[in-house]
Amino acid sequence: MTPPTPPWWSTAVVYQVYPRSFADSDGDGIGDLRGVLSHLDHLAALGVDVVWLSPIYRSPQDDNGYDISDYRDVDPVFGTLADLDELLATLHARGMRLVMDLVVNHTSDEHPWFVESRSSTTNPKRDWYVWRGGRDGGERPPNNWGAAFSGPAWDRDTTTGQWYLHLFSPKQPDLNWENPEVRAAVHEMVAWWLDRGVDGFRMDVVNFVSKVDGLPDGVVAPGALFGDGAPHFQNGPRLHEFLHELHERVFAGRPQAVLTVGEMPGVTVEQARLLTDPARAEVDMVFQFEHVGLDHGRDKWDPRPLELRELKANLARWQTGLADVGWNSLYWSNHDQPRAVSRFGDDSPAHRVASAMALGTVLHLHRGTPYVYQGEELGMTNAVFASLAEHRDLESLNHHREAVGAGADPDVVLAALAPASRDNARTPVQWTPGTSAGFSTGAPWIGVHPNHVDVNAEAARADPGSVFHHYRRLVELRHTDPVVTDGVFALLLAEHEQVWAFTRTTPTAQLLVVANVSSAPVTLDGAELAELGGLGGEVVLSSGPAGDRPAQLGAWEARVLRRRAAARDPSSTRGRSTTRLGR
Ligand code: GLC
């Protein structure tokens, strides 16, 4: 019997483009599609297989395009539909694929559907959104939920006096997925894009689409202004049904093998097993949020120190949980997260390069599909903003206003934005050491990081010791070594506070990945060395300053060693997934 063919994305690496900040071709200070087209050599040199393009659809840009007013057109700020077709054709000609962002938990309030919906209580589109009467004679919102971008999750519309739900900004009203007409309209739109040739979708907060009946109040945490609605809209009662329906009606039977990745805040491993089980036909993989929440206290603005042991254990749990059914996505960063090297690494000049490489090494050698966020391959760092006026993101600005309004010291709130703001990831990609980092000939919409003089693509591509070339080698390793795709994962030295080590094992080969995830050298003792098999094997990849003794790892040193698999790992008894194959 011929073994079934694994899906193409099991050996692929995805690169995320946030178009606003990638490259500006027309000098208006905002990145655009022709800017993306002009840098495809960079992506080809890195070797990535897929571009995930954050939203380029028509939008009032309240949330930088995550508020869509026309799903079937390109916003003029980014270019035209013809530019998009050209990008798609050019990527395909270069052997790369294009994954679009699919934002269908909500639309813009300027979408014609919502304009109609709000016009009267009897409009045929009224029930396309979530409308309710208010409490206390209509004066108070229907429930106590807070929105993700501050304030209540409801706005009262003056035309009818009723309230509409918006889990994000008031300009992002939630669609009512309970209404079959809404789902049919989404299906039609997705099919339209597939007919155009796109290769998949990253589905924005798609586990928010099914809300619990009755929209009950959430628990109000001590000191919080609003109730937490998440238990009533995250992974809701009809989520599996809605995703399966979308799969069956739209994705199944397409000539292109489509990639679907659902962004799912609050998703658990157990839920992800169901969601990504190929037999259930829902999504291929999910973006989970556990590992990017480990340094949060009460919320993202309240940091707590990250414990390496917790981080390793967390990713290991996802590896084990999805070992025999389903598939992981692997990411450190995206347009909503701070820069990985500043958050998990050490972005000081002495350690920036080595720590970015060490982080890339451990992430890419887990089992799953890695996602590289623009600039991560350059080791780009968090922004350095001196004032609130330099911030752009509505989440940060609203939080500042709300916290200061509630009596907090403005400088303290500003300081809390620094490590956590989404703007960190949104400063322009640093292409050259020149003006505006080669991003734009105009005035960039958000400040360029001053370190572009040293940290830029031109310098990185010319330097074989750069983060870029290390990422390129990681991508290449995934393409060429089946252990990276298939090998069973086993965590080693789980309790070590500086070292991240694991094996990936198939019946014939084993990779040992060892990284010092700290800025201080590590000397391994005899027992530790023994657990790592004496650190023997052929060096496949390494990074960072090597320690001067075999049992010593320099600051942020990472080593990848290949050896013949002598014996099966105890953890490998579950074997390789067979259920996910054959699609
Ligand atoms: C997702 C996006 C984020 C956006 C939000 C609302 O989390 O990644 O950028 O603000 O959804 O669409």
Side-chain angles (χ1 to χ4, degrees), residues 16 18 52 54-55 63-67 101 103-106 148-149 167-169 172 202-206 208 263 265 289 334-336 393-395 422 426:
Q16 183 191 352
Y18 189 69
W52 150 27
S54 278
D63 186 17
N64 293 353
Y66 283 91
D67 50 317
D101 222 298
V103 188
V104 286
N105 173 67
H106 44 267
F149 299 150
L167 295 178
F168 294 87
S169 100
Q172 295 167 300
R202 174 268 185 188
M203 302 151 100
D204 191 67
V205 291
V206 75
F208 291 6
E263 188 208 20
F289 278 67
N334 59 44
H335 64 291
D336 296 329
D393 182 26
L394 84 170
E395 182 191 49
R422 306 196 299 181
R426 301 177 180 186

Side-chain angles (χ1 to χ4, degrees), residues 5-14 49-50 97 99 199-201 247 256-261 276-278 283-286 325-330 367-371 478-479 484-485 577 579-583:
T5 325
W8 63 266
W9 37 256
S10 59
T11 56
V13 177
V14 182
D49 308 272
V50 185
R97 289 173 156 104
V99 162
D199 302 288
F201 295 91
H247 188 280
Q256 68 267 56
V258 175
L259 180 161
T260 56
V261 48
T276 67
D277 177 352
V283 290
D284 295 320
M285 56 191 110
V286 304
V325 174
W327 190 250
N328 272 293
S329 68
L330 307 169
R367 185 159 180 268
T369 299
Y371 288 73
R478 175 163 293 268
H479 288 161
V484 178
T485 313
S577 152
T579 46
R580 51 166 277 270
L581 304 178
R583 292 220 253 170

